[in-house]
Amino acid sequence: MNTVLAYYQHLGPALMALVLLTFLLAGTVKGVIGLGLPTIAMGLLGLAMAPAQAAALLIVPSALTNLWQLAFGGHLRGLLGRLWPMLLAIFLGTGAGALWLGMEGGPWVVRGLGAALLLYALSGLCLPALRLAARHEPWLGPLCGVLTGAITAATGVFVIPAVPYLQALGLQRDQLVQALGLSFSVSTLALAAGLAWGGALGGAELGASLLALVPALLGMWLGQWLRQRISAVLFKRVFFVGLGLLGAHLLVSG
């Protein structure tokens, strides 16, 4: 605990407040639309700290909220049987990306994070509803998995191209929510392994990430409450617009 407190004291009051508010907001968005926690966390924290440090903080909140998401729905066995090539490719792609690219810092990593956020926002705002023919899944699933893994290793963002691919499979709503939780869980575990291998994820970082779980869960509760009272479609559109602006800022400023 002393190590964790020292970690936050080292961040200082301003950065500590940013971490808490970021995970509160990210949890709220996830509570409303079912995704967005790691994406928002990486985007906002990337404004003030190295991407590897931001990625280390999101490990516990992302892992536990996604495990919770995939645990309910009753479709886990069927989804595993259908998606395992993509999931394996995500894990291997993240590992290869950690060895080859990593998140060592520097302007190119921040710009890569901005590009990933902007691309995801544009896909959410502009990409029409796609439907993928089943005959393309055997090769396109692993390809999307490898690309998702490489982007995850470089930026900490694991939604491109995994989310558009899963949305194109024609899954029922409950199946899609569970499939997203499954994909995000594998990505989070693979990212944690890559960060640990690179020395960016130790006991202090895990402890600090565990504390970040509190505002994330509070935000999820708030988001679930809001979901009953606001338009999820409008909220999602605002989310993508805000994410796109944030991504554009990171891409330009580096």
Side-chain angles (χ1 to χ4, degrees):
M1 177 59 76
N2 290 336
T3 305
V4 174
L5 293 177
Y7 182 94
Y8 276 104
Q9 287 173 351
H10 177 71
L11 289 180
L15 267 182
M16 185 169 64
L18 175 64
V19 170
L20 296 178
L21 291 174
T22 292
F23 280 101
L24 179 65
L25 175 62
T28 301
V29 172
K30 187 174 179 65
V32 175
I33 63 176
L35 49 84
L37 188 151
T39 312
I40 289 178
M42 286 300 302
L44 291 178
L45 295 180
L47 293 171
M49 61 177 64
Q53 188 178 15
L57 284 173
L58 71 83
I59 291 299
V60 174
S62 179
L64 292 185
T65 55
N66 286 317
L67 286 172
W68 177 272
Q69 181 174 331
L70 73 85
F72 298 95
H75 305 288
L76 183 57
R77 180 174 296 182
L79 289 171
L80 280 172
R82 181 175 182 179
L83 300 177
W84 73 263
M86 172 192 170
L87 299 174
L88 178 60
I90 287 176
F91 195 89
L92 296 177
T94 304
L99 292 174
W100 180 40
L101 300 171
M103 271 187 282
E104 298 299 328
W108 78 269
V109 177
V110 178
R111 289 194 174 98
L113 171 60
L117 296 177
L118 182 58
L119 181 61
Y120 180 46
L122 290 175
S123 70
L125 288 170
C126 306
L127 195 65
L130 302 175
R131 187 63 183 267
L132 178 67
R135 67 179 183 277
H136 298 308
E137 287 186 45
W139 66 269
L140 190 55
L143 176 60
C144 287
V146 169
L147 293 175
T148 300
I151 293 172
T152 297
T155 68
V157 175
F158 37 77
V159 292
I160 293 293
V163 171
Y165 171 78
L166 292 174
Q167 290 172 334
L169 293 182
L171 301 172
Q172 297 176 359
R173 177 174 174 80
D174 289 344
Q175 289 178 311
L176 178 59
V177 169
Q178 202 168 12
L180 289 171
L182 187 59
S183 174
F184 295 162
S185 294
V186 172
S187 293
T188 302
L189 293 175
L191 177 61
L195 290 170
W197 179 86
L201 184 63
E205 289 80 10
L206 279 175
S209 181
L210 182 61
L211 285 184
L213 179 64
V214 176
L217 290 177
L218 179 61
M220 282 191 67
W221 174 83
L222 177 61
Q224 290 169 352
W225 179 82
L226 284 174
R227 186 167 56 191
Q228 309 301 322
R229 292 162 175 80
I230 63 174
S231 167
V233 174
L234 177 60
F235 187 91
K236 196 170 185 178
R237 189 173 296 123
V238 172
F239 161 70
F240 280 123
V241 170
L243 197 65
L245 293 174
L246 178 60
H249 173 74
L250 291 171
L251 181 60
V252 171
S253 67

